[in-house]
Amino acid sequence: MTRGDILGSDRPASRPVWRRLLVVLPVVVFAGLAIVLAWGLTRNASDIPSALIGKPVPAFSLAPVQGRTLGLSSGDLRGEVSLVNVFASWCLACREEHPVFMQLAAGGKVPLHGLNYKDRPDDAARWLDTMGDPYTRTGADLNGRAAIDWGVYGVPETFVVSADGQIAYKHIGAVTQEALEKTILPLVERLRAKAKERQP
């Protein structure tokens, strides 16, 4: 037996362990990714929590959207329960929810304010003139700074604001009639009842 044979006999024992790891490791990584992706697909995007729930609306002051007379500021969101809808003319999902907001405005159930996100002034004005303007006040967030302070992930997003100016709820994505009737409007009524209880 040569020295090479003796040295060579030590190597096969260590190789199978590394080979098994090279085969098993990608399978484990793939399985882990599959579990995370499957979990993500079962989650509702509108259930993403907001760090601002229960906190005062961020301080902001926005000029009105072109063609409107009333802008939007944090001071406007005190005194009554209201909704703030972050929208843009270039947002397809905003078109989906717009008829729901037009109907809401016609019924006068709750003040709805618009925060127009990174829109060109002409486009925002044209969109509201064409589609209808359901908003009591509409602020033009031209650079997106106010939306960032609100913790906006993307448009559309809608917030329920309590009478004392705190963010009570955040809905991500287009508001449907079902979401409005089952979640948003009942919350508005509960917040109004709480506000009445606090009055002397």
Side-chain angles (χ1 to χ4, degrees):
M1 186 178 285
T2 67
R3 187 168 183 263
D5 291 335
I6 293 169
L7 291 175
S9 66
D10 291 339
R11 290 179 185 160
S14 62
R15 278 189 183 165
V17 174
W18 286 106
R19 283 187 183 162
R20 280 190 215 127
L21 281 175
L22 288 174
V23 171
V24 172
L25 187 61
V27 173
V28 170
V29 170
F30 177 78
L33 285 173
I35 290 168
V36 169
L37 288 173
W39 175 76
L41 289 173
T42 61
R43 297 213 42 182
N44 186 344
S46 65
D47 292 338
I48 297 172
S50 171
L52 297 180
I53 301 297
K55 295 183 180 172
V57 298
F60 73 101
S61 182
L62 298 173
V65 168
Q66 183 175 296
R68 273 74 204 154
T69 56
L70 298 176
L72 183 63
S73 72
S74 46
D76 298 320
L77 302 177
R78 295 187 66 83
E80 63 181 333
V81 180
S82 61
L83 305 183
V84 175
N85 174 242
V86 183
F87 76 99
S89 66
W90 44 263
C91 163
L92 294 178
C94 297
R95 291 180 181 272
E96 291 175 30
E97 71 180 0
H98 201 75
V100 174
F101 288 141
M102 289 298 292
Q103 188 176 357
L104 178 68
K109 293 182 179 179
V110 60
L112 172 65
H113 305 295
L115 195 154
N116 183 234
Y117 178 70
K118 287 190 174 181
D119 226 342
R120 290 187 293 214
D122 289 343
D123 291 344
R126 189 179 313 109
W127 195 76
L128 290 172
D129 290 342
T130 304
M131 302 278 291
D133 186 350
Y135 304 110
T136 305
R137 293 177 165 272
T138 314
D141 188 14
L142 298 175
N143 63 6
R145 181 70 239 175
I148 289 170
D149 291 342
W150 279 75
V152 170
Y153 291 100
V155 289
E157 290 188 13
T158 302
F159 296 84
V160 179
V161 180
S162 64
D164 59 355
Q166 292 193 3
I167 296 174
Y169 178 75
K170 175 181 181 176
H171 180 91
I172 298 173
V175 170
T176 62
Q177 194 66 39
E178 182 181 11
L180 189 67
E181 291 173 2
K182 290 188 175 179
T183 304
I184 296 173
L185 290 179
L187 175 58
V188 166
E189 291 307 316
R190 289 196 301 274
L191 291 171
R192 283 177 173 160
K194 280 185 184 177
K196 281 183 183 176
E197 288 173 7
R198 290 179 189 149
Q199 288 176 351

